[in-house]
Amino acid sequence: QFSIQDNKPWKTNFFTIWGGQALSLLGSQLVQFALIWHLTVKTGSATVLATASLAGMLPGVILGPFVGTLVDRWNRRLIMLLADSLIALATIGLAVLFALDVVTIWHIYTVMFIRSLAGSFHGNAMSASTSLMVPIENLTRIQGINQMLNGGLNVVAAPLGALLLEILPIQGILAIDVVTALFAILPLCFITIPQPERTARGQEQRNPQTTVWQDFSAGLRYLLGWPGLLIICLMTVGINFTIIPAFSLLPLMVKDYFGGDALQLGWVESAMGIGVFAGGALLGVWGGFQRKILTSMLGLMGMGAGTLILALAPASILSLAVGGAFLVGLANPLTMGPFMAVLQSTVEPDMQARVLSLLWSIGGGMAPIGLMVAGPVADQVGIQAWFYLGGALCIFMGLVGLCIPAVMKIEAKREAAFNELSTIKQTA
């Protein structure tokens, strides 16, 4: 039992911060929609869209493990404050460039990189702090609520972004993001974020001479000592090579294959958001199977089926693609929610940022390579190929996961981990 808030009122503090983050996320999604559509219209290039996705992904993949290590060492509340502030400043700078009509593609790439790096710090700090702010028995419910939030924002952000692009210059949308960021920053100025107690497994910062590299190594050893988790990381390498590039090219697929515009793109993304909202609600009410990882593997297969529907939809039947997007969204919370609940209830709080960042880095490590390959190949052979491959891999990996005992028993006690804990204590 790792939560230190089990016997204390927690809802007011947690949901005040959560509400501010929700408004900030809305502003961020409006910016993301506006920038991606701007690049789509101005260039019409799959390579440009893939590069934009790459700029937003590299910080988490390359620097993520060290970001997680620093989050475990530093004050998490201060990290979140500084990260949100940096995102707001970068957005203001880009808005000024748009207002002066001197913005270039490289300016957009740079701001996406900065926003991603700061977001990596913020996301790690918030995720690792959740288990300290929320009683352990409510973690799965909170994951369901988070997924509902993501789905609701997708429903609102895509059509709202399309509408705002019709009535506002893009710098106006950027300004909205800055205002919503203030709602995320202000609660953090008054509410304390609990800091984890240091454990032996956390490579004890009781020793003031412990380096960042030593803390990083401790997190890596922790991950390697958990076979089921490591296998899941390796499974996501192949999935992310295809799925992330495919959906980064979705705007171009809507524009060139289906002959749509920003409104039609909004329909597809909104359908996915409605699916995520419905899946999050289902998870919050149902809670999934008793063995959480079973829910995740079946959800992964559902995501694959929805992706294949998107790939198979005829150009004249956009509604079928909308249905496929809904299924992808519905299955996403059932895949990610139970898995995150397993991690937050099992991994020690002072190790969580490191473990989560390692997972995201390993899982996303192939995505940049996939993006670099996907852009040029899609320009030559068509975007649908990536949706075919990604959907088939999701289904295959879900079936493989169901057949591997180490994966299906990931929630069981890990004797190797406790043996390692004894070793650390003996050598401390």
Side-chain angles (χ1 to χ4, degrees):
Q1 301 287 319
F2 299 129
S3 176
I4 64 173
Q5 295 287 322
D6 287 347
N7 297 316
K8 299 179 182 179
W10 59 274
K11 293 182 180 179
T12 300
N13 285 349
F14 178 79
F15 282 108
T16 299
I17 293 175
W18 185 89
Q21 299 299 321
L23 287 173
S24 182
L25 283 173
L26 173 60
S28 294
Q29 290 201 16
L30 291 176
V31 167
Q32 185 72 9
F33 183 93
L35 293 180
I36 291 299
W37 189 250
H38 173 81
L39 293 175
T40 300
V41 172
K42 292 294 183 181
T43 69
S45 169
T47 301
V48 168
L49 291 185
T51 304
S53 295
L54 193 63
M57 187 179 303
L58 280 176
V61 172
I62 298 176
L63 303 175
F66 296 99
V67 168
T69 301
L70 293 173
V71 168
D72 278 336
R73 293 171 67 95
W74 296 345
N75 184 286
R76 293 175 178 176
R77 176 165 148 300
L78 183 59
I79 288 172
M80 294 167 67
L81 272 170
L82 294 177
D84 285 336
S85 299
L86 180 59
I87 291 172
L89 289 173
T91 304
I92 291 171
L94 187 60
V96 171
L97 293 176
F98 269 108
L100 297 176
D101 198 24
V102 295
V103 71
T104 68
I105 291 176
W106 288 104
H107 291 143
I108 296 174
Y109 290 163
T110 301
V111 170
M112 285 183 165
F113 183 91
I114 293 172
R115 288 172 62 95
S116 176
L117 179 60
S120 182
F121 273 97
H122 181 279
N124 271 278
M126 186 65 188
S127 295
S129 297
T130 299
S131 61
L132 295 172
M133 300 184 72
V134 177
I136 194 169
E137 65 272 12
N138 289 313
L139 287 174
T140 300
R141 250 185 219 99
I142 292 299
Q143 286 302 320
I145 292 172
N146 284 338
Q147 297 295 333
M148 288 176 64
L149 169 65
N150 291 333
L153 289 179
N154 286 338
V155 172
V156 173
L160 181 58
L163 174 63
L164 290 175
L165 282 173
E166 296 292 328
I167 61 178
L168 288 176
I170 195 167
Q171 58 266 31
I173 298 177
L174 295 173
I176 292 174
D177 181 50
V178 174
V179 173
T180 59
L182 295 176
F183 287 93
I185 293 171
L186 289 176
L188 293 171
C189 296
F190 304 101
I191 297 176
T192 300
I193 302 292
Q195 286 293 109
E197 296 179 2
R198 300 299 172 190
T199 66
R201 295 186 62 76
Q203 219 26 42
E204 48 296 336
Q205 300 200 14
R206 303 165 186 167
N207 179 357
Q209 297 183 3
T210 299
T211 65
V212 173
W213 178 256
Q214 288 173 322
D215 280 351
F216 166 76
S217 298
L220 183 60
R221 288 196 302 273
Y222 187 97
L223 177 60
L224 293 176
W226 192 346
L229 188 58
L230 182 60
I231 291 170
I232 290 176
C233 289
L234 297 177
M235 287 169 58
T236 60
V237 168
I239 295 170
N240 287 345
F241 181 80
T242 53
I243 286 292
I244 291 178
F247 281 93
S248 72
L249 302 177
L250 185 60
L252 203 59
M253 185 178 183
V254 170
K255 177 176 175 287
D256 291 348
Y257 179 70
F258 290 105
D261 54 21
L263 182 59
Q264 280 69 49
L265 176 61
W267 291 348
V268 176
E269 294 193 352
S270 292
M272 192 177 302
I274 292 171
V276 172
F277 186 88
L282 177 61
L283 182 63
V285 174
W286 169 43
F289 294 107
Q290 184 174 2
R291 186 178 295 183
K292 296 181 178 65
I293 196 64
L294 175 61
T295 310
S296 291
M297 292 298 106
L298 294 177
L300 180 60
M301 295 168 64
M303 287 179 62
T307 304
L308 286 178
I309 292 174
L310 273 166
L312 293 168
S316 59
I317 310 179
L318 180 64
S319 58
L320 187 58
V322 171
F326 173 82
L327 180 56
V328 171
L330 180 70
N332 184 269
L334 302 179
T335 304
M336 296 304 301
F339 182 62
M340 283 296 297
V342 169
L343 295 180
Q344 290 178 329
S345 62
T346 306
V347 179
E348 289 88 340
D350 65 329
M351 292 290 295
Q352 282 189 20
R354 273 170 281 182
V355 171
L356 290 173
S357 62
L358 280 167
L359 286 174
W360 294 333
S361 184
I362 294 173
M366 285 299 292
I369 299 175
L371 285 165
M372 288 186 285
V373 175
V377 171
D379 284 334
Q380 296 296 320
V381 302
I383 297 171
Q384 286 90 333
W386 290 97
F387 284 88
Y388 283 122
L389 187 56
L393 269 176
C394 282
I395 294 174
F396 175 73
M397 290 297 181
L399 289 171
V400 168
L402 292 174
C403 298
I404 300 178
V407 173
M408 297 309 296
K409 296 179 180 179
I410 194 172
E411 299 161 67
K413 295 293 185 182
R414 293 163 288 123
E415 293 299 330
F418 291 111
N419 291 337
E420 182 188 349
L421 174 57
S422 299
T423 302
I424 291 175
K425 287 181 176 179
Q426 291 171 6
T427 57

